[in-house]
Amino acid sequence: MARLLPLIAIGVVAPVAAARAQSVRYPPDAADADREAESHSALWDSAVDPERAPYEQLVRDARRALELQTEQAAHMAVDKLSDAIRRLPSDPRAYGLRGEAYLALKDWAHCADDLAAADKLDVPPSDRDRLEIELGICQGRAGHYADAEHTLVHAAERSPHGETWLRLGEVRIALGRLDEAIDALTAALETPEGRSPVTHWLLALAYDRARRPGPERGDNPPATDAQLALAEDNQLGTIVNPQYPWLGAGEREYLMALAYTTKPVSFLDTSSPELALLYFRRFLAVAPESPWHGRAVEHMKALTALVLPQAVHRSSNSSAIVETSLIRAAIVPVMPALRACLSKQPTVAYEITMVRDAPKSPDAADRTRVALRPETTTIKLDVDIGDSPTSSEDVTRACLAANAAKIALPIPKERDTWYQTTFVVIAP
């Protein structure tokens, strides 16, 4: 019996140990723990704040829609974000995103309201700089110039970016505070991102309205702000298609007029007093209540006193060298009759191109080195910035052609040569 006791003990203990081994609980996997905690947190959040999950989904969907950068997607984002705001009106993200959607839709008043609402809430510091600039942009274009200035001054104090100074400068021009506008725009030029044609155009505008001579900048050669802007923007694209609409009625027309009165520093001569007069005339029509009405009238009086045409060009491809002063002297006597042809079209400019050739040598046709050109007169509508009637265009062209035929252009002195000249005609 004594020998059987250990065996009995072993037989009893082994099953018990195996059972105990099967019941041991090992530490859970870390990922499983995170998932469990996240699930618990989500369940807790849903219980405490049932609107949080749908809010987050709506914000994500709206953000994706805005990335498409289409008008339809922006409208969709507005709808989703409006639903999100109804669910959690104290969260700033939906206000900020909806403000950006309204910015894309150029709905300035709603953009300003939403971005102002977001600005009052707890916006992350990384988002606040951009939010304040966009808020100032929307407030300005909604006509709230004083609010825009306050917003942009605060933004400049926090983070003086070039765009902040630029937008502050344009708002101060709209407020008529020209000296302070010049200070802000000059500060923009001192930043890498602020050195742009737009900054120079706005400085040219501020100096002009302040009746102050602008400083010459650079030294190769020194140039005014308008000349520097024109050197980078000789097609005037930043004036015609700005990133955001210009502040104030008629600002685009006023800037175009300034551009056409600017003498460039390069060979790309785009100045044209005729077109400047046309754009100042248009400015007075579209902005009769503008505070800059009187300044535009001053420009118009100076331009009207000029003897037209002022801008006469001789094509560089011409084989004959004829002084443009002689060409202009031949055109001047006929200009009153030419301009009378446009009396019913005050917002258009026609371009007249004429080719004048020299007497031909008897053997000119046999000498291939001579490039002969027939005498022609070409008339085309160059600029139309208003609502002039198009039904009279054929009559206008016929009138211009008949009077252009009366221009006695100078004959080239050298045989077998020719030249081409171009000038602009506007209404009296």
Side-chain angles (χ1 to χ4, degrees):
M1 289 294 293
R3 294 178 59 86
L4 293 175
L5 288 174
L7 295 176
I8 294 171
I10 292 171
V12 172
V13 171
V16 172
R20 286 179 178 174
Q22 291 176 2
S23 66
V24 172
R25 295 178 60 85
Y26 291 97
D29 181 78
D32 291 337
D34 289 343
R35 280 193 293 271
E36 185 176 348
E38 186 177 317
S39 175
H40 176 76
S41 175
L43 288 171
W44 177 258
D45 289 343
S46 296
V48 174
D49 190 0
E51 299 293 354
R52 175 59 61 181
Y55 176 91
E56 297 293 345
Q57 185 62 51
L58 288 165
V59 168
R60 281 194 295 270
D61 291 346
R63 198 184 298 277
R64 293 191 191 103
L66 287 175
E67 289 173 356
L68 298 176
Q69 297 183 352
T70 66
E71 183 177 347
Q72 181 180 4
H75 282 294
M76 182 189 304
V78 167
D79 292 340
K80 289 183 176 296
L81 292 164
S82 298
D83 189 4
I85 289 168
R86 282 192 293 270
R87 293 173 183 274
L88 289 179
S90 61
D91 193 307
R93 288 175 298 157
Y95 289 106
L97 281 174
R98 194 172 69 173
E100 289 185 15
Y102 281 129
L103 177 63
L105 294 169
K106 297 181 173 59
D107 186 340
W108 310 116
H110 284 107
C111 169
D113 289 343
D114 274 354
L115 294 181
D119 192 40
K120 291 177 182 177
L121 298 171
D122 189 17
V123 178
S126 58
D127 297 336
R128 185 169 293 279
D129 290 347
R130 186 67 232 169
L131 184 146
E132 285 192 320
I133 293 174
E134 290 180 347
L135 173 57
I137 289 169
C138 290
Q139 286 172 328
R141 278 144 191 86
H144 308 317
Y145 299 146
D147 291 339
E149 183 188 31
H150 180 270
T151 297
L152 292 166
V153 166
H154 184 262
E157 290 172 349
R158 285 173 46 84
S159 183
H161 296 298
E163 188 178 8
T164 310
W165 290 117
L166 186 152
R167 299 302 169 190
L168 179 58
E170 69 173 356
V171 165
R172 284 176 168 170
I173 291 175
L175 286 166
R177 296 162 59 177
L178 299 174
D179 291 341
E180 292 173 87
I182 290 169
D183 291 341
L185 294 166
T186 302
L189 285 183
E190 294 171 357
T191 67
E193 68 274 17
R195 299 188 198 106
S196 71
V198 174
T199 307
H200 286 298
W201 283 130
L202 287 171
L203 273 165
L205 185 67
Y207 279 116
D208 172 78
R209 289 174 172 175
R211 295 173 175 82
R212 286 174 52 185
E216 290 192 332
R217 306 182 194 277
D219 54 5
N220 191 27
T224 65
D225 284 294
Q227 288 173 321
L228 290 171
L230 192 61
E232 297 182 46
D233 183 28
N234 68 302
Q235 298 298 314
L236 310 182
T238 59
I239 298 178
V240 177
N241 297 304
Q243 182 181 8
Y244 303 108
W246 299 107
L247 295 183
E251 291 296 84
R252 174 182 172 275
E253 286 74 17
Y254 199 108
L255 280 165
M256 289 292 287
L258 281 185
Y260 281 117
T261 58
T262 300
K263 288 290 184 184
V265 293
S266 69
F267 65 92
L268 296 171
D269 189 353
T270 57
S271 63
S272 172
E274 290 88 348
L275 295 184
L277 183 58
L278 202 69
Y279 276 101
F280 276 126
R281 187 182 292 167
R282 182 63 178 166
F283 169 79
L284 294 177
V286 301
E289 304 300 323
S290 171
W292 315 115
H293 183 279
R295 182 58 175 148
V297 170
E298 291 176 18
H299 280 295
M300 284 193 63
K301 287 180 179 178
L303 291 167
T304 304
L306 298 174
V307 177
L308 301 183
Q310 285 285 310
V312 176
H313 302 280
R314 184 181 63 84
S315 171
S316 59
N317 295 325
S318 303
S319 59
I321 299 176
V322 178
E323 295 293 331
T324 55
S325 59
L326 299 176
I327 299 173
R328 180 172 176 271
I331 299 171
V332 166
V334 188
M335 277 301 288
L338 288 168
R339 297 184 69 187
C341 296
L342 305 183
S343 58
K344 295 182 179 180
Q345 295 180 289
T347 60
V348 303
Y350 277 82
E351 183 181 82
I352 299 181
T353 301
M354 303 180 71
V355 175
R356 186 74 164 97
D357 59 10
K360 298 176 179 61
S361 301
D363 60 342
D366 300 328
R367 289 186 284 119
T368 56
R369 66 182 180 83
V370 178
L372 299 176
R373 290 282 299 270
E375 290 192 350
T376 57
T377 298
T378 305
I379 299 169
K380 74 170 186 177
L381 179 62
D382 185 40
V383 173
D384 186 354
I385 60 174
D387 303 315
S388 294
T390 56
S391 59
S392 60
E393 188 173 336
D394 291 339
V395 175
T396 301
R397 288 176 182 272
C399 179
L400 290 171
N403 285 285
K406 301 174 184 177
I407 299 173
L409 290 175
I411 300 173
K413 293 180 179 179
E414 295 185 0
R415 287 177 174 270
D416 308 323
T417 59
W418 60 274
Y419 67 89
Q420 177 179 294
T421 186
T422 302
F423 59 96
V424 171
V425 180
I426 63 170

